[in-house]
Amino acid sequence: MGDAYPNVRLAAVQAAPVWLDRDATAQKAVRLIEEAADNGAKVIGFPEGFVPGFPDWYHWYMPRSPQSLGFNKELFKNAVEVPGPVVDAIGAAARRTRTHVVIGVNERDPGTMGTLYNSQLFFGPDGALQGVHRKLMPTFTERLVHTSGDGSSVRTYETPFGGIGGLICGENTNSLARFALLAQQERIHVASWPAFVYPRQYDGIDIRTRYHAFEGRVFVISACGVLDDACLDAMGLSEEQRKAIPGRGGHSGILGPDGNYIAGPVDDKPQIVYGDADFEKVIEGKLSHDLTGHYNRFDVFTLQMRTSPRTALEAPALPGNGLTLIGADDEIRT
C-alpha cells in the first residue's frame, strides 16, 4: 500500500491587535485560535508582533517625538515574557483545540527593563511551547525598539505533517536563513507580516512567499496584520493622516509547493484564510527540484550555522562574509 500523506487544513489569521494591550490581545488570539479550529484548522499562523501590536507609529511620528516615546514605553510594559501568562493562555488554547500555533509577539527578556525581540512563538497540540524564533535582524524602524536574535532560533519543529518553521517579514528575503530551515526538512513555513498599508508592498510579500514555497516545495502560511479604527484612534491620527492611508493592511494567504496561492490573498479586512495542504504535492515538486536533496551539489556548496545562543557574557565572533558562518558549538551542515 505504501505510506499515506494526509490533507491538513492550514489557517492564516489576519487580524488587528487590541492596541498595546497584552492581555486583551492574548484573549483575542485565543478566540481566533478557537474559531480557526472550529473550521478544521490544524496549523494556525498569526501576524508579526501581534501581541501587543507592531510599532506602526513611526510611519506618522518622529522617533524622538513625545508620541513615539510614549508608545515605546507602553510597548515595553505590554511585552511578552517567556515563560509567562501569555504563553500559558496561548498554550492552553492550542491544547484545547489540538492545534499547532505560531504567533508573533514582542518578547521581553524576563526581569529586564529595556530589551525587546521581534519573535514567533511555536506551540504544539499538547499546549507546550516548542520554541521561540527571534528575528535575526530588525528591519528599518524596528531597530528603534527591537534587538537582533541569533542562530539558535533558526530551526524547525516536528509535527505529524512534517517540520514546521517560520521567519518574520523581511528576513524571508534572507536566502541563508531560508535554506537553513529547508535543510532541516521544513514542510510548513509560517511567514509573519505587519499591516502594510501601501498596496505596492504586497508585491514584496508575493515575491518572497511564492519563491520560498517553490524553491523548498513547501506549504506557506502567510499571515499579515491589519489596522482597525481602534488602532488608528489609539495612535491619535488626524483626519488628514487617515486620508493618506490607502489601505488597512492584509494580503494573507496559503501557498502550495508550486509557488501559487491555494487561498487568498485577502486585503484590508480582518479574516481567517484557510487552505488545505495535500502533501503529495510536495513529492511531485521534489521529483524535479529537491534543493535539499538530489537537486543540489553539496560537494560544491555547504552552509555552516552557529546555533549556540548569544549571551551577555560571551558574544560570538562576527562572520567574515555573508556566505559562511563559523565558530558554532553545534552546526547544521548540508
Side-chain angles (χ1 to χ4, degrees):
M1 290 289 292
D3 294 331
Y5 298 92
N7 285 10
V8 178
R9 176 152 291 187
L10 312 178
V13 173
Q14 181 164 288
V18 182
W19 185 251
L20 297 185
D21 188 327
R22 173 184 58 209
D23 299 331
T25 304
Q27 289 307 309
K28 182 173 184 177
V30 167
R31 294 193 297 271
L32 291 166
I33 291 167
E34 292 170 344
E35 178 183 342
D38 286 344
N39 284 283
K42 297 299 182 186
V43 185
I44 305 167
F46 278 80
E48 177 180 7
F50 185 69
V51 186
F54 185 81
D56 291 289
W57 49 87
Y58 290 119
H59 293 298
W60 296 285
Y61 300 110
M62 295 296 291
R64 295 293 296 179
S65 69
Q67 296 95 329
S68 290
L69 292 175
F71 290 135
N72 287 352
K73 286 199 297 184
E74 290 305 308
L75 181 68
F76 186 84
K77 288 157 61 177
N78 282 273
V80 175
E81 292 192 354
V82 180
V86 169
V87 173
D88 294 341
I90 303 301
R95 182 174 61 252
R96 287 194 304 273
T97 58
R98 304 298 299 169
T99 55
H100 297 264
V101 176
V102 182
I103 185 167
V105 302
N106 293 268
E107 182 198 358
R108 181 175 69 206
D109 271 338
T112 66
M113 296 289 287
T115 298
L116 293 180
Y117 301 92
N118 188 346
S119 300
Q120 289 172 317
L121 308 183
F122 289 75
F123 294 88
D126 60 352
L129 179 68
Q130 295 179 303
V132 180
H133 169 60
R134 292 171 169 175
K135 192 171 185 179
L136 289 171
M137 179 54 65
T139 307
F140 198 41
T141 53
E142 292 167 30
R143 296 170 199 166
L144 298 172
V145 292
H146 296 137
T147 190
S148 57
D150 58 50
S152 65
S153 72
V154 182
R155 56 162 299 180
T156 60
Y157 301 92
E158 281 305 309
T159 79
F161 329 116
I164 183 170
L167 294 172
I168 303 168
C169 194
E171 66 179 349
N172 285 283
T173 313
N174 188 327
S175 294
L176 298 181
R178 293 189 307 97
F179 186 82
L181 292 176
L182 296 176
Q184 296 173 75
Q185 301 306 312
E186 183 183 54
R187 199 172 295 170
I188 301 170
H189 181 82
V190 179
S192 298
W193 312 87
F196 286 147
V197 297
Y198 299 102
R200 67 176 182 273
Q201 294 173 299
Y202 297 162
D203 290 341
I205 295 175
D206 288 337
I207 290 168
R208 295 175 177 101
T209 55
R210 293 189 67 178
Y211 189 76
H212 188 69
F214 182 82
E215 179 187 35
R217 303 302 189 177
V218 298
F219 288 91
V220 175
I221 299 172
S222 182
C224 307
V226 291
L227 294 173
D228 58 15
D229 289 338
C231 293
L232 302 185
D233 291 343
M235 280 189 280
L237 299 190
S238 66
E239 272 307 308
E240 184 178 355
Q241 288 173 317
R242 290 173 189 245
K243 288 178 181 177
I245 302 173
R248 293 298 186 91
H251 209 64
S252 298
I254 310 294
L255 298 96
D258 61 356
N260 292 316
Y261 279 95
I262 298 170
V266 174
D267 302 337
D268 286 329
K269 59 185 179 180
Q271 183 174 331
I272 302 178
V273 182
Y274 301 96
D276 293 326
D278 176 1
F279 287 101
E280 290 199 6
K281 297 295 184 183
V282 175
I283 301 173
E284 292 177 13
K286 283 181 175 286
L287 288 174
S288 56
H289 300 116
D290 184 357
L291 266 294
T292 57
H294 72 269
Y295 201 73
N296 212 320
R297 287 288 304 276
F298 300 125
D299 58 325
V300 178
F301 305 108
T302 62
L303 172 64
Q304 295 177 311
M305 185 174 77
R306 182 184 179 101
T307 59
S308 54
R310 182 180 59 193
T311 69
L313 297 179
E314 182 184 359
L318 293 175
N321 55 53
L323 295 177
T324 305
L325 302 178
I326 301 173
D329 296 330
D330 302 297
E331 293 175 344
I332 296 168
R333 296 172 180 259
T334 57

